[in-house]
Amino acid sequence: MTGHTTPDRAALRTWLPGFLALAAIWGSSFLFIKVGIAELHPLHLTLYRVATGAATLLVVLVLLRDRLPREPRVWVHMVVVAAFGVAIPFTLFGYGEQRVESMLAGIWNATTPLFVLPLAVLVFRTERLTARAAVGLGLGFLGVLVVLGVWEGVGGAHFAGQLMCFGAAACYGVAIPYQKRFVAGSAHSGLSLSAAQLLVATAQLAVVGPLVAGVPPAPTGLSWPVVGSVLALGALGTGLAFVINLRNIRMAGASTAATVTYLVPIFAVLIGALVLGERLNWHQPAGALVVLLGVAVAQGLLGPRRPRRTPAAASSSGVEPLSGVEPLSGGVRRSGTPSAAGR
């Protein structure tokens, strides 16, 4: 199934519940991060959640009789994908939520496509830039400035926390086109590549974490809410969410499944407000709407669309048609396999 495949016979009721459940799971991840960092250093929280996610996907691999990649080339590329797609951004969100609201972190996660397209065009050359995409990027970055509230001045812990979440989204912008350029052509399943990515990220964090933050505390010394948050982030947000996302792709098409990105910040804001009693300034949700508008324009969801060429025509021309830019966390590659990890 390609990224342009759309469901012909699948009824809405067959995939919509899973679609909404996935948005709720990923939207709640920012709440669990907020709870986890109350007792854990951001690096330790990331280590525990990634290790839990890796273990979950390994179990799924065994159940589905799939296997990890064996080619050394794939594992070498996974070092980069794991660092920029998992270890660094997950940790940055943890650091960021020490300073900002969980709902604001969820909003910043939605800016990921704004980084993916420029890097895919200029660095990795896996996409080409169109006027429509350029307009969408301009709108998106205008929305970023509104979310930041730049007219109020810069500086302070809150602004620094926003920049950390902003940096996390930028890391995804590196990982996604890199993965598409060097890994997506692999014959391995998305499940296999995702499990490999999480295993490599676990190893990276196991080395860096103790050097930066000291030895991780024993899980038995943590409160039940923190332990539950780690399990939710790893097993639920990565393991179960992966299975749901894969089902959504198969039943609704990769392009439709990727639009879950638009619902994640909505769930993050609702959960942060209802559970943690968080509040946002007016310009933050307003900026988020401008960001999502820009992403929708860049992905061709708004405005006139050009006729799509057939794969054969695209191959003969030597240029692959530009499609939407999908975020790593729950995003979808054009090959129809989900990228590695949940938020």
Side-chain angles (χ1 to χ4, degrees):
M1 180 179 292
T2 67
H4 295 314
T5 302
T6 54
D8 294 325
R9 290 186 287 268
L12 187 66
R13 64 177 179 272
T14 63
W15 59 265
L16 185 59
F19 183 86
L20 295 175
L22 189 63
I25 290 172
W26 279 336
S28 65
S29 295
F30 303 98
L31 164 67
F32 296 132
I33 293 173
K34 195 73 169 180
V35 174
I37 59 175
E39 297 180 18
L40 287 170
H41 188 281
L43 272 167
H44 294 159
L45 175 62
T46 303
L47 171 60
Y48 281 147
R49 70 176 286 193
V50 172
T52 303
T56 302
L57 290 190
L58 287 177
V59 171
V60 178
L61 272 177
V62 172
L63 293 176
L64 296 181
R65 297 182 181 179
D66 203 346
R67 67 182 185 182
L68 293 169
R70 295 184 178 181
E71 299 85 350
R73 180 190 65 85
V74 174
W75 289 96
V76 170
H77 287 307
M78 280 299 168
V79 173
V80 178
V81 177
F84 286 95
V86 178
I88 298 175
F90 283 12
T91 303
L92 282 176
F93 273 123
Y95 276 115
E97 288 199 44
Q98 287 180 328
R99 299 162 176 82
V100 302
E101 299 81 2
S102 67
M103 57 173 63
L104 189 53
I107 288 175
W108 280 115
N109 187 83
T111 65
T112 295
L114 302 180
F115 295 98
V116 173
L117 183 55
L119 289 170
V121 171
L122 300 175
V123 179
F124 299 101
R125 301 186 181 277
T126 58
E127 305 282 357
R128 58 186 178 85
L129 188 64
T130 64
R132 180 197 68 208
V135 171
L137 289 174
L139 280 172
F141 280 107
L142 175 62
V144 167
L145 296 178
V146 175
V147 174
L148 284 171
V150 292
W151 59 86
E152 296 180 349
V154 299
H158 195 269
F159 186 81
Q162 292 199 67
L163 291 183
M164 291 174 182
C165 295
F166 190 67
C171 287
Y172 291 144
V174 174
I176 295 171
Y178 184 95
Q179 180 169 318
K180 180 176 180 181
R181 175 68 175 82
F182 297 107
V183 181
S186 169
H188 298 283
S189 68
L191 175 61
S192 174
L193 294 174
S194 296
Q197 180 178 345
L198 291 180
L199 285 172
V200 173
T202 300
Q204 293 171 337
L205 291 161
V207 173
V208 175
L211 294 176
V212 176
V215 178
T220 55
L222 302 175
S223 66
W224 282 110
V226 172
V227 172
S229 294
V230 171
L231 293 176
L233 286 168
L236 183 63
T238 300
L240 178 60
F242 178 92
V243 175
I244 294 174
N245 192 39
L246 187 59
R247 180 179 182 272
N248 291 344
I249 292 170
R250 288 172 175 168
M251 300 192 71
S255 297
T256 299
T259 59
V260 70
T261 306
Y262 295 92
L263 294 183
V264 170
I266 296 175
F267 277 96
V269 169
L270 290 175
I271 293 170
L274 295 175
V275 179
L276 298 177
E278 295 176 340
R279 295 292 182 270
L280 293 175
N281 293 323
W282 68 268
H283 59 85
Q284 291 162 347
L289 291 176
V290 178
V291 167
L292 293 178
L293 175 63
V295 171
V297 172
Q299 292 182 334
L301 299 179
L302 296 177
R305 299 186 183 184
R306 294 177 302 170
R308 289 172 179 168
R309 293 178 294 172
T310 62
S315 300
S316 64
S317 67
V319 179
E320 188 175 0
L322 178 68
S323 71
V325 178
E326 302 88 10
L328 180 69
S329 300
V332 181
R333 296 198 306 271
R334 223 187 312 262
S335 61
T337 53
S339 44
R343 290 164 176 79

